[in-house]
mmCIF file of all heavy atoms in Angstrom:
data_model
loop_
_atom_site.group_PDB
_atom_site.id
_atom_site.type_symbol
_atom_site.label_atom_id
_atom_site.label_comp_id
_atom_site.label_asym_id
_atom_site.label_seq_id
_atom_site.Cartn_x
_atom_site.Cartn_y
_atom_site.Cartn_z
ATOM 1 N N SER I 564 10.714 0.962 3.027
ATOM 2 C CA SER I 564 10.684 -0.446 2.586
ATOM 3 C C SER I 564 9.323 -0.788 2.003
ATOM 4 O O SER I 564 9.132 -1.847 1.418
ATOM 5 C CB SER I 564 10.947 -1.387 3.768
ATOM 6 O OG SER I 564 12.216 -1.160 4.267
ATOM 7 N N HIS I 565 8.347 0.094 2.196
ATOM 8 C CA HIS I 565 6.977 -0.192 1.728
ATOM 9 C C HIS I 565 6.578 0.939 0.776
ATOM 10 O O HIS I 565 7.236 1.161 -0.233
ATOM 11 C CB HIS I 565 6.089 -0.309 2.972
ATOM 12 C CG HIS I 565 4.710 -0.849 2.741
ATOM 13 N ND1 HIS I 565 4.304 -1.414 1.565
ATOM 14 C CD2 HIS I 565 3.622 -0.917 3.567
ATOM 15 C CE1 HIS I 565 3.039 -1.796 1.670
ATOM 16 N NE2 HIS I 565 2.595 -1.503 2.876
ATOM 17 N N LYS I 595 27.950 -5.856 1.120
ATOM 18 C CA LYS I 595 27.260 -6.328 2.330
ATOM 19 C C LYS I 595 27.436 -5.367 3.500
ATOM 20 O O LYS I 595 26.594 -5.302 4.402
ATOM 21 C CB LYS I 595 27.816 -7.702 2.727
ATOM 22 C CG LYS I 595 27.046 -8.852 2.113
ATOM 23 C CD LYS I 595 27.273 -10.126 2.894
ATOM 24 C CE LYS I 595 26.238 -11.191 2.646
ATOM 25 N NZ LYS I 595 24.865 -10.794 2.812
ATOM 26 N N ARG I 600 20.583 0.391 -0.478
ATOM 27 C CA ARG I 600 19.861 -0.534 -1.371
ATOM 28 C C ARG I 600 19.354 0.238 -2.566
ATOM 29 O O ARG I 600 19.035 1.423 -2.443
ATOM 30 C CB ARG I 600 18.656 -1.143 -0.661
ATOM 31 C CG ARG I 600 19.065 -2.185 0.326
ATOM 32 C CD ARG I 600 17.864 -2.859 0.934
ATOM 33 N NE ARG I 600 18.345 -3.993 1.721
ATOM 34 C CZ ARG I 600 17.616 -5.010 2.095
ATOM 35 N NH1 ARG I 600 16.341 -5.052 1.768
ATOM 36 N NH2 ARG I 600 18.115 -6.000 2.783
ATOM 37 N N LEU I 601 19.224 -0.437 -3.666
ATOM 38 C CA LEU I 601 18.628 0.228 -4.825
ATOM 39 C C LEU I 601 17.125 0.273 -4.607
ATOM 40 O O LEU I 601 16.456 -0.766 -4.571
ATOM 41 C CB LEU I 601 18.930 -0.545 -6.105
ATOM 42 C CG LEU I 601 20.321 -0.388 -6.704
ATOM 43 C CD1 LEU I 601 20.383 -1.113 -8.038
ATOM 44 C CD2 LEU I 601 20.732 1.067 -6.875
ATOM 45 N N GLY I 603 13.248 0.600 -5.213
ATOM 46 C CA GLY I 603 12.432 0.212 -6.362
ATOM 47 C C GLY I 603 12.834 -1.141 -6.932
ATOM 48 O O GLY I 603 12.325 -1.562 -7.969
ATOM 49 N N PHE I 604 13.738 -1.830 -6.223
ATOM 50 C CA PHE I 604 14.140 -3.166 -6.670
ATOM 51 C C PHE I 604 13.911 -4.157 -5.542
ATOM 52 O O PHE I 604 14.182 -3.866 -4.380
ATOM 53 C CB PHE I 604 15.619 -3.188 -7.072
ATOM 54 C CG PHE I 604 15.879 -2.425 -8.328
ATOM 55 C CD1 PHE I 604 16.079 -1.051 -8.282
ATOM 56 C CD2 PHE I 604 15.870 -3.058 -9.556
ATOM 57 C CE1 PHE I 604 16.280 -0.327 -9.443
ATOM 58 C CE2 PHE I 604 16.061 -2.337 -10.727
ATOM 59 C CZ PHE I 604 16.271 -0.971 -10.671
ATOM 60 N N ARG I 607 9.306 -8.655 -1.266
ATOM 61 C CA ARG I 607 9.214 -9.792 -0.351
ATOM 62 C C ARG I 607 8.545 -10.994 -1.014
ATOM 63 O O ARG I 607 8.937 -12.139 -0.817
ATOM 64 C CB ARG I 607 8.446 -9.367 0.915
ATOM 65 C CG ARG I 607 7.982 -10.509 1.799
ATOM 66 C CD ARG I 607 9.142 -11.364 2.346
ATOM 67 N NE ARG I 607 10.024 -10.630 3.197
ATOM 68 C CZ ARG I 607 9.802 -10.343 4.481
ATOM 69 N NH1 ARG I 607 8.712 -10.759 5.058
ATOM 70 N NH2 ARG I 607 10.686 -9.666 5.178
ATOM 71 N N TYR I 653 24.285 -10.381 -9.531
ATOM 72 C CA TYR I 653 23.832 -10.155 -8.150
ATOM 73 C C TYR I 653 22.307 -10.048 -8.106
ATOM 74 O O TYR I 653 21.638 -10.703 -7.303
ATOM 75 C CB TYR I 653 24.470 -8.876 -7.595
ATOM 76 C CG TYR I 653 23.961 -8.460 -6.225
ATOM 77 C CD1 TYR I 653 24.586 -8.918 -5.057
ATOM 78 C CD2 TYR I 653 22.856 -7.614 -6.090
ATOM 79 C CE1 TYR I 653 24.122 -8.541 -3.803
ATOM 80 C CE2 TYR I 653 22.390 -7.231 -4.839
ATOM 81 C CZ TYR I 653 23.017 -7.692 -3.698
ATOM 82 O OH TYR I 653 22.551 -7.318 -2.469
ATOM 83 N N LYS I 657 19.656 -12.932 -6.632
ATOM 84 C CA LYS I 657 18.804 -12.591 -5.484
ATOM 85 C C LYS I 657 17.365 -12.282 -5.905
ATOM 86 O O LYS I 657 16.536 -11.897 -5.085
ATOM 87 C CB LYS I 657 19.385 -11.386 -4.737
ATOM 88 C CG LYS I 657 20.729 -11.695 -4.098
ATOM 89 C CD LYS I 657 21.101 -10.664 -3.072
ATOM 90 C CE LYS I 657 22.483 -10.910 -2.500
ATOM 91 N NZ LYS I 657 22.625 -12.171 -1.792
ATOM 92 N N ASN I 662 10.358 -3.165 -9.055
ATOM 93 C CA ASN I 662 8.996 -3.365 -8.544
ATOM 94 C C ASN I 662 8.085 -2.225 -9.001
ATOM 95 O O ASN I 662 8.519 -1.302 -9.691
ATOM 96 C CB ASN I 662 9.003 -3.549 -7.014
ATOM 97 C CG ASN I 662 9.626 -2.363 -6.297
ATOM 98 O OD1 ASN I 662 9.336 -1.216 -6.621
ATOM 99 N ND2 ASN I 662 10.488 -2.635 -5.321
HETATM 100 N N1 ACO J 1072 19.193 -3.506 -3.440
HETATM 101 C C1 ACO J 1072 20.244 -4.283 -3.132
HETATM 102 N N2 ACO J 1072 20.147 -5.452 -2.476
HETATM 103 C C2 ACO J 1072 18.928 -5.852 -2.097
HETATM 104 C C3 ACO J 1072 17.769 -5.102 -2.385
HETATM 105 C C4 ACO J 1072 17.931 -3.883 -3.092
HETATM 106 N N3 ACO J 1072 16.875 -3.128 -3.383
HETATM 107 N N4 ACO J 1072 16.675 -5.738 -1.884
HETATM 108 C C5 ACO J 1072 17.128 -6.848 -1.316
HETATM 109 N N5 ACO J 1072 18.493 -6.933 -1.443
HETATM 110 C C6 ACO J 1072 19.339 -8.053 -0.998
HETATM 111 C C7 ACO J 1072 19.525 -7.993 0.512
HETATM 112 O O1 ACO J 1072 20.693 -7.273 0.864
HETATM 113 C C8 ACO J 1072 19.623 -9.458 0.851
HETATM 114 O O2 ACO J 1072 20.944 -9.893 0.541
HETATM 115 P P1 ACO J 1072 21.658 -11.060 1.428
HETATM 116 O O3 ACO J 1072 20.846 -12.283 1.176
HETATM 117 O O4 ACO J 1072 23.021 -11.118 0.861
HETATM 118 O O5 ACO J 1072 21.584 -10.603 2.850
HETATM 119 C C9 ACO J 1072 18.686 -10.152 -0.139
HETATM 120 O O6 ACO J 1072 18.628 -9.265 -1.271
HETATM 121 C C10 ACO J 1072 17.283 -10.385 0.393
HETATM 122 O O7 ACO J 1072 16.810 -9.160 0.949
HETATM 123 P P2 ACO J 1072 15.762 -9.101 2.155
HETATM 124 O O8 ACO J 1072 15.852 -7.746 2.776
HETATM 125 O O9 ACO J 1072 15.964 -10.287 3.044
HETATM 126 O O10 ACO J 1072 14.406 -9.281 1.392
HETATM 127 P P3 ACO J 1072 12.991 -8.915 1.960
HETATM 128 O O11 ACO J 1072 12.042 -9.820 1.270
HETATM 129 O O12 ACO J 1072 12.984 -8.921 3.448
HETATM 130 O O13 ACO J 1072 12.795 -7.386 1.519
HETATM 131 C C11 ACO J 1072 12.268 -5.453 0.268
HETATM 132 C C12 ACO J 1072 12.038 -6.969 0.444
HETATM 133 C C13 ACO J 1072 12.024 -4.731 1.606
HETATM 134 C C14 ACO J 1072 11.240 -4.911 -0.722
HETATM 135 C C15 ACO J 1072 13.704 -5.212 -0.240
HETATM 136 O O14 ACO J 1072 13.919 -5.851 -1.487
HETATM 137 C C16 ACO J 1072 14.046 -3.711 -0.350
HETATM 138 O O15 ACO J 1072 14.453 -3.108 0.648
HETATM 139 N N6 ACO J 1072 13.867 -3.109 -1.571
HETATM 140 C C17 ACO J 1072 14.075 -1.687 -1.749
HETATM 141 C C18 ACO J 1072 12.864 -0.924 -1.225
HETATM 142 C C19 ACO J 1072 11.666 -1.063 -2.137
HETATM 143 O O16 ACO J 1072 11.745 -0.894 -3.345
HETATM 144 N N7 ACO J 1072 10.490 -1.316 -1.514
HETATM 145 C C20 ACO J 1072 9.218 -1.382 -2.243
HETATM 146 C C21 ACO J 1072 8.587 -2.723 -2.094
HETATM 147 S S1 ACO J 1072 7.178 -2.827 -3.126
HETATM 148 C C22 ACO J 1072 5.929 -2.094 -2.299
HETATM 149 O O17 ACO J 1072 5.916 -1.879 -1.107
HETATM 150 C C23 ACO J 1072 4.781 -1.706 -3.137
#
Side-chain angles (χ1 to χ4, degrees):
S564 297
H565 191 10
K595 269 201 161 307
R600 285 185 171 199
L601 282 186
F604 290 85
R607 166 61 63 80
Y653 174 90
K657 295 196 184 298
N662 58 45

